[in-house]
Amino acid sequence: MKVWIPHEAGRTLLGEPPPGVTVEVAEDPTRLPSEVAGVRFWVPPFLAGPAAAALVRELPDLEVVQLLSAGADAWVGRIPGGVTLCDARGVHDPSTAEWVVAAILSQLRAFPAFARAQARREWAYDAEAPTDELAGKRVLIVGAGSIGTAVRARLAPFEVDFTLVARTARPEQGVYAVDELPRLLPEADVVVLLVPLTEQTRGLVDEKFLAAMRDGALLVNAARGPVARTDALVAELSTGRISAALDVTDPEPLPADHPLWAMPNVLLTPHVAGSVRGLLPRAYRLVGDQVRRFAAGEPLINAVVDGY
């Protein structure tokens, strides 16, 4: 059995492969390391593009696609019958949660404005102080999965109040259903988006969603760009009524002439929440575990069902 992985370092990081398993590095889907026959387990490159997704139908013996990303939206609907799609749920919890906390603090404490002032060599105390603060804020986390739980744990020491929202309510855990957002949004100072991109969440953040947010609220998108309607986002942010921290956009990359770049109430980062030095060790621990499970005929974890 052949296993294809996208990083040379992964050979060591995934640990000793089971007997009969050959690990090959397929870093570029257009330059394959060997014949496609016999590849039963494939790990595409992180944030792989259309060329990688197209390759899945050219692997006749493929049984498992193990993603390195937490989101599977680029792959749902592209996987042939009989092939199991697994995501990297849990791998990106620490890094994405760190980004969310950093983004919230940066916006509330006016770090982007101070960075612009530093570039001008301007002591901006009178212009920017006093800043806002995180203590006492009401944080609404839209997406109560593993990353949402990690965000909550990291924000807890900041003396904030939490509300979590998921596809369906989980009253025993204090989690509300997504259809309760119209009632919950006006109460939140910070709204964090952590939902996967599905047909149900595409365009979730529209004109009504944004209009329901309270004046001065902060929207944080660490999910996927199309979860928010960009035209609605631009229109609302241009009024200055709310602010945003965005790690993802639609389109992506964001064109240089896009109005979001120039808005002083918007913090933009180029989809880097999960791109940290610790990614590969965490990711390949999962890959190694999955390969060993598959070789032993044991159930895989993180199987994607209904886009999740």
Side-chain angles (χ1 to χ4, degrees):
M1 172 178 102
K2 289 196 291 189
V3 173
W4 279 359
I5 62 173
H7 303 93
E8 184 63 40
R11 291 182 185 272
T12 301
L13 292 172
L14 62 77
E16 185 68 26
V21 172
T22 300
V23 177
E24 298 178 345
V25 177
E27 182 177 358
D28 184 346
T30 65
R31 295 197 302 272
L32 304 180
S34 65
E35 296 295 324
V36 296
V39 179
R40 296 173 59 195
F41 193 109
W42 178 40
V43 183
F46 182 50
L47 300 180
L55 179 61
V56 72
R57 295 189 176 275
E58 299 179 21
L59 303 175
D61 302 317
L62 188 64
E63 297 183 52
V64 179
V65 174
Q66 173 63 60
L67 303 180
L68 297 181
S69 59
D73 49 280
W75 296 84
V76 173
R78 297 172 180 261
I79 303 298
V83 177
T84 300
L85 176 66
C86 299
D87 63 26
R89 186 164 57 252
V91 167
H92 300 278
D93 293 1
S95 55
T96 302
E98 284 182 1
W99 183 91
V100 169
V101 174
I104 292 172
L105 288 170
S106 293
Q107 280 293 71
L108 293 181
R109 298 306 305 267
F111 278 17
F114 289 126
R116 290 190 292 269
Q118 180 181 355
R120 299 191 300 268
R121 302 187 180 217
E122 174 186 331
W123 193 261
Y125 183 92
D126 290 339
E128 301 297 338
T131 70
D132 205 342
E133 61 182 335
L134 180 53
K137 288 290 188 287
R138 291 164 291 186
V139 179
L140 174 60
I141 300 176
V142 185
S146 62
I147 296 178
T149 302
V151 168
R152 177 173 181 165
R154 284 158 178 78
L155 283 176
F158 288 92
E159 303 172 15
V160 302
D161 294 323
F162 294 101
T163 304
L164 273 68
V165 169
R167 270 189 302 176
T168 56
R170 302 198 291 268
E172 70 284 357
Q173 300 175 23
V175 177
Y176 295 86
V178 70
D179 58 10
E180 295 190 65
L181 279 172
R183 177 179 66 84
L184 298 171
L185 284 167
E187 303 173 358
D189 300 300
V190 180
V191 179
V192 181
L193 304 175
L194 292 167
V195 294
L197 179 60
T198 67
E199 288 307 308
Q200 290 71 42
T201 63
R202 186 179 296 273
L204 172 68
V205 180
D206 57 10
E207 292 87 351
K208 291 183 179 179
F209 184 108
L210 295 166
M213 292 177 62
R214 64 185 300 152
D215 290 354
L218 170 64
L219 178 71
V220 180
N221 191 357
R224 287 290 186 268
V227 168
R229 288 186 51 187
T230 304
D231 54 349
L233 200 56
V234 169
E236 191 66 49
L237 288 168
S238 66
T239 69
R241 192 182 69 83
I242 64 172
S243 59
L246 310 173
D247 187 49
V248 290
T249 59
D250 183 25
E252 194 173 296
L254 197 65
D257 60 351
H258 199 280
L260 283 173
W261 286 115
M263 291 185 176
N265 55 335
V266 176
L267 170 65
L268 277 171
T269 59
H271 204 153
V272 296
S275 297
V276 295
R277 294 186 179 95
L279 168 61
L280 291 188
R282 285 195 296 270
Y284 278 102
R285 280 196 294 270
L286 171 64
V287 172
D289 180 46
Q290 292 282 71
V291 168
R292 286 183 281 275
R293 286 172 178 267
F294 180 65
E298 299 174 356
L300 299 175
I301 63 173
N302 291 7
V304 176
V305 179
D306 296 331
Y308 290 81

